[in-house]
Amino acid sequence: AQTVTQSQPEMSVQEAETVTLSCTYDTSENNYYLFWYKQPPSRQMILVIRQEAYKQQNATENRFSVNFQKAAKSFSLKISDSQLGDTAMYFCASADLTNKLIFGTGTLLAVQP
Amino acid sequence: KAGVTQTPRYLIKTRGQQVTLSCSPISGHRSVSWYQQTPGQGLQFLFEYFSETQRNKGNFPGRFSGRQFSNSRSEMNVSTLELGDSALYLCASSSTGGREETQYFGPGTRLLVL
């Protein structure tokens, strides 16, 4: 069974600085998909970025980028130029063979003014 | 395109009652998945429907059931409510449910069981 681990329950960053959220996963599959979702206080789950495992290039989406290390089974999220609106719970997730999303326990990110 | 909508947004029920939650997917999406989010257990998969058929089911008791209509709208039902069923219930839709697709989430229904 796939597992996703987020070892940082909470993190804090100053506005305009850069922060990296960690995620490790375990899977026996060769091709798979990884996601970062953001859940602000409104509780709406919003896709931040996705990575296809067979692609070598790290995904980027504006201020958000990932560092995907396939051999190490690591999938960290880097947020550059942090903004107050980035304050949220961030979930790392993988999609299993049936497209069920397996979520980590989340990292609560607070952006300080 | 309108996003995923869920109704109602909030519900208060008492133990032993039953409840029905509704989810309307993004137009054109035929796959709907349901997740339960609690502080203790995190986000857990309940089930997935595609073209009115349950295609996948998580590890939840039979009190949790669902269905999907021909217009892809989905409902989930919880019978004989227990205190532990208090949670945020999220539904997500995607085009065909392929794992290469992104699942788009609704705002959730917050259920409180007293």
Side-chain angles (χ1 to χ4, degrees), chain B residues 62-76:
Chain B
R63 300 185 297 105
F64 292 82
S65 63
R67 59 177 176 168
Q68 186 179 36
F69 301 94
S70 58
N71 62 357
S72 295
R73 188 177 71 85
S74 177
E75 289 182 346
M76 68 163 279

Side-chain angles (χ1 to χ4, degrees), chain B:
Chain B
K1 269 189 186 178
V4 178
T5 58
Q6 291 187 246
T7 56
R9 294 292 310 278
Y10 303 94
L11 264 180
I12 300 176
K13 292 286 187 179
T14 55
R15 277 180 299 175
Q17 288 187 310
Q18 76 164 18
V19 67
T20 299
L21 312 182
S22 179
C23 172
S24 292
I26 291 171
S27 178
H29 284 191
R30 293 189 292 155
S31 170
V32 174
S33 296
W34 289 88
Y35 294 84
Q36 181 197 63
Q37 185 176 21
T38 61
Q41 299 299 316
L43 282 147
Q44 294 184 288
F45 172 79
L46 280 155
F47 28 65
E48 185 224 358
Y49 285 86
F50 177 77
S51 290
E52 302 178 65
T53 301
Q54 186 181 87
R55 196 159 63 171
N56 195 9
K57 189 176 191 307
N59 190 25
F60 278 81
R63 300 185 297 105
F64 292 82
S65 63
R67 59 177 176 168
Q68 186 179 36
F69 301 94
S70 58
N71 62 357
S72 295
R73 188 177 71 85
S74 177
E75 289 182 346
M76 68 163 279
N77 185 77
V78 188
S79 63
T80 319
L81 283 166
E82 300 178 359
L83 295 179
D85 298 332
S86 294
L88 179 68
Y89 290 89
L90 295 164
C91 82
S93 77
S94 64
S95 182
T96 63
R99 59 190 303 219
E100 71 281 3
E101 298 174 6
T102 295
Q103 294 187 36
Y104 295 91
F105 283 82
T109 293
R110 186 178 293 280
L111 171 65
L112 177 62
V113 182
L114 301 175

Side-chain angles (χ1 to χ4, degrees), chain A residues 2 29 31-33 35 37 39 42-45 47 50 91 95-101 103-104, chain B residues 9 31 33 35 37 43 45 48 56 88 90 94 97-107 110:
Chain A
Q2 290 191 2
E29 299 171 33
N31 191 24
Y32 46 90
Y33 298 82
F35 306 85
Y37 279 92
Q39 189 177 44
S42 68
R43 310 307 299 273
Q44 173 93 44
M45 196 77 81
L47 177 71
R50 54 174 277 158
F91 291 96
D96 74 0
L97 276 172
T98 63
N99 198 32
K100 174 176 67 180
L101 287 174
F103 287 92
Chain B
R9 294 292 310 278
S31 170
S33 296
Y35 294 84
Q37 185 176 21
L43 282 147
F45 172 79
E48 185 224 358
N56 195 9
L88 179 68
L90 295 164
S94 64
R99 59 190 303 219
E100 71 281 3
E101 298 174 6
T102 295
Q103 294 187 36
Y104 295 91
F105 283 82
R110 186 178 293 280

Side-chain angles (χ1 to χ4, degrees), chain A residues 15-109:
Chain A
E15 205 174 357
E17 294 189 345
T18 295
V19 65
T20 298
L21 309 184
S22 301
C23 172
T24 58
Y25 60 92
D26 192 16
T27 179
S28 57
E29 299 171 33
N30 218 15
N31 191 24
Y32 46 90
Y33 298 82
L34 299 168
F35 306 85
W36 279 98
Y37 279 92
K38 164 186 174 180
Q39 189 177 44
S42 68
R43 310 307 299 273
Q44 173 93 44
M45 196 77 81
I46 301 163
L47 177 71
V48 175
I49 200 165
R50 54 174 277 158
Q51 175 79 43
E52 297 172 47
Y54 68 89
K55 287 189 175 177
Q56 304 274 6
Q57 191 172 8
N58 289 326
T60 63
E61 198 69 48
N62 301 315
R63 299 182 294 107
F64 299 88
S65 61
V66 299
N67 182 6
F68 175 49
Q69 302 287 329
K70 192 171 184 179
K73 295 183 178 176
S74 170
F75 181 59
S76 59
L77 174 70
K78 186 172 88 170
I79 306 174
S80 304
D81 185 26
S82 297
Q83 300 175 0
L84 295 177
D86 295 334
T87 292
M89 183 73 89
Y90 287 81
F91 291 96
C92 178
S94 70
D96 74 0
L97 276 172
T98 63
N99 198 32
K100 174 176 67 180
L101 287 174
I102 312 296
F103 287 92
T105 51
T107 296
L108 180 60
L109 176 67

